[in-house]
Amino acid sequence: MVTTETHICSGCSNLGLERTHFFPRQLITAPDLTQDQTYFREKLRRHNRLLHGWGVVCGARCKAGKGECEVVIEPGYVLGPFGDEILIDREVTVDVCKQDLDGNVAGPCGQPTDPWCSNVRVDRSAGDKLYIAVRYAECQDRPVRVISGGCGCGQDDCEYSRIRDSYVIRVLPKLPSSYADPMQPPEMTTIWECVQCGRPCPPCPAEPWVILADVTLKTDGCLGFIDCFAHRRNVASLADFYFTCTAMRVRSVRISNAGDTNEVVLKNPKEVLTGTSDLRLKAIEITFENGLVDPATVSGKSVKVENITTLPVTQVAGSAVVATPDSVRWTANVVLKVGRYRVTMVGKDKDAIKSDKGTLLDGEPTQLPSGDGCPGGDFIFEFEVVLPPIA
């Protein structure tokens, strides 16, 4: 396999911003197909660099290994300065006192040409400050036999049929030009500030390296202190952030007399409650879950009790107030007569009951707790006042 370095920052040029236009009877060649790959790759690089920035997104932590000069790099995900995605897919052990003929300490693109000279000892001075860095690279892979052009020549030629995203790790003797010492992250407030004539785009970085850790050698030249913070540039990520949508629902309903000495409890919103007139039914208390009630949304319009015994339907005079932070109490201004009544907790439109977070009531009365999972539905149930049984 062959490692290919890429040092392209297309944010300041038009390279790769053309797509192939296909048309009938067109002769398609390899550059035509490659151009589309280049187009989308450069768009992704530009998106990453200008919107997300560059640095370590997650993982890629460094710790001392078993050997005197060994450092273990954990799996991680990194955005390179040119916008490339760098995936360290497995734990990598590097020897900071050795490097290959290209100056790298690790890279999964295969062995060098001469396996006997795969690693060269590097003289490190006591107290040296070194920087473990990673950059994006590409590996050409899976060679295949090239089909002969018909002249009988080149029948033994091979070409690589795949290009694999990869990386190389190197121990740098000095910081790349894109780093400062000490590091001074920008203030978050500057991101929201209005800038005269617009905000300028960041300049194209000059080097591809991302620092993973600083390493200081001991007096004997072996590994000493590993600092994973001094020059580690981190990229903000929302990967661990999430939120849930929990609508306010009706948990329980009870209908009682004015003194709360007798009551009936709603078991199923689809059934009709029955209470005798000797209970002097007067108050209805609805308790909610998944939110506290916004008192400003509780009124005679959002909690309605109607007499549906005969037509036309008439609304029963009463008042609704927040009894506790999670419950509403409706009290009748008159004693309810024998008859059938309908209670509506409005969960949609301008008169809807809302939680203190502004969420509409999820009230579809299919069960208790109420709701179908979508905020914005009325909670409706009926009850009936009957004459007490004759002793």
Side-chain angles (χ1 to χ4, degrees):
M1 289 178 286
V2 177
T3 304
T4 304
E5 297 189 13
T6 57
H7 296 268
I8 299 173
C9 179
S10 61
C12 305
S13 69
N14 291 323
L15 180 65
L17 296 184
E18 294 179 347
R19 302 191 307 273
T20 303
H21 173 228
F22 297 100
F23 53 87
R25 298 181 301 279
Q26 180 183 7
L27 178 62
I28 305 298
T29 62
D32 296 319
L33 300 176
T34 303
Q35 178 60 33
D36 277 0
Q37 293 185 13
T38 302
Y39 173 80
F40 289 106
R41 283 168 57 82
E42 291 305 323
K43 280 179 67 73
L44 178 60
R45 285 190 177 111
R46 183 177 58 193
H47 171 89
N48 288 341
R49 189 176 68 84
L50 297 180
L51 186 62
H52 300 296
W54 59 275
V56 179
V57 179
C58 60
R61 296 181 297 182
C62 299
K63 59 185 179 182
K66 296 180 179 179
E68 294 180 342
C69 293
E70 287 186 350
V71 174
V72 178
I73 302 173
E74 297 178 352
Y77 180 73
V78 180
L79 289 179
F82 300 151
D84 297 292
E85 296 182 346
I86 304 171
L87 176 65
I88 303 175
D89 59 348
R90 66 195 67 184
E91 191 173 86
V92 179
T93 300
V94 299
D95 191 327
V96 299
C97 298
K98 296 179 181 179
Q99 63 186 31
D100 62 22
L101 298 179
D102 294 324
N104 305 318
V105 295
C109 285
Q111 298 298 323
T113 305
D114 188 349
W116 299 104
C117 297
S118 59
N119 292 314
V120 179
R121 181 75 184 181
V122 182
D123 292 329
R124 308 288 192 191
S125 301
D128 276 357
K129 188 71 169 291
L130 306 173
Y131 306 95
I132 299 177
V134 64
R135 68 161 173 81
Y136 174 78
E138 293 177 346
C139 297
Q140 294 184 349
D141 200 1
R142 299 192 187 184
V144 297
R145 184 70 61 84
V146 177
I147 299 176
S148 172
C151 62
C153 56
Q155 294 184 1
D156 295 330
D157 290 345
C158 291
E159 285 285 350
Y160 290 103
S161 64
R162 300 289 188 272
I163 298 176
R164 176 162 52 86
D165 289 343
S166 188
Y167 61 88
V168 293
I169 299 172
R170 184 174 294 182
V171 177
L172 303 178
K174 63 178 182 179
L175 279 173
S177 59
S178 50
Y179 281 82
D181 193 11
M183 298 286 284
Q184 295 292 339
E187 293 290 337
M188 286 296 294
T189 54
T190 61
I191 298 177
W192 315 112
E193 291 180 353
C194 293
V195 180
Q196 185 178 8
C197 298
R199 187 181 304 279
C201 291
C204 295
E207 300 186 56
W209 298 104
V210 178
I211 301 298
L212 301 181
D214 296 13
V215 175
T216 303
L217 301 183
K218 297 187 295 186
T219 55
D220 58 0
C222 296
L223 182 65
F225 179 67
I226 300 177
D227 187 348
C228 291
F229 300 100
H231 296 98
R232 188 181 178 94
R233 177 174 172 144
N234 297 297
V235 177
S237 171
L238 295 177
D240 292 330
F241 174 80
Y242 69 94
F243 65 95
T244 59
C245 295
T246 53
M248 185 174 68
R249 306 185 298 178
V250 176
R251 184 176 65 204
S252 63
V253 177
R254 66 186 183 96
I255 304 174
S256 62
N257 63 346
D260 289 337
T261 56
N262 293 288
E263 66 178 29
V264 288
V265 179
L266 180 67
K267 299 294 185 181
N268 187 335
K270 294 184 178 181
E271 296 179 359
V272 178
L273 285 178
T274 301
T276 57
S277 60
D278 61 338
L279 292 179
R280 298 183 63 82
L281 297 174
K282 193 171 184 180
I284 303 172
E285 186 165 324
I286 302 99
T287 303
F288 304 93
E289 65 179 27
N290 295 339
L292 306 180
V293 184
D294 180 3
T297 64
V298 177
S299 67
K301 294 182 178 180
S302 59
V303 182
K304 298 184 296 184
V305 179
E306 299 168 304
N307 189 333
I308 58 174
T309 306
T310 58
L311 295 177
V313 173
T314 58
Q315 186 165 341
V316 180
S319 58
V321 297
V322 175
T324 63
D326 63 347
S327 68
V328 170
R329 185 181 180 88
W330 179 89
T331 304
N333 293 340
V334 295
V335 175
L336 300 184
K337 300 178 181 180
V338 173
R340 194 178 179 107
Y341 296 86
R342 180 173 61 215
V343 180
T344 302
M345 303 283 294
V346 179
K348 54 188 176 182
D349 301 328
K350 59 183 179 66
D351 295 326
I353 291 180
K354 299 179 181 179
S355 71
D356 58 342
K357 305 296 184 182
T359 306
L360 295 173
L361 172 66
D362 184 8
E364 282 81 1
T366 57
Q367 70 282 319
L368 283 176
S370 68
D372 60 358
C374 297
D378 296 343
F379 181 79
I380 302 173
F381 70 94
E382 297 179 4
F383 69 93
E384 188 173 10
V385 177
V386 297
L387 292 172
I390 298 174

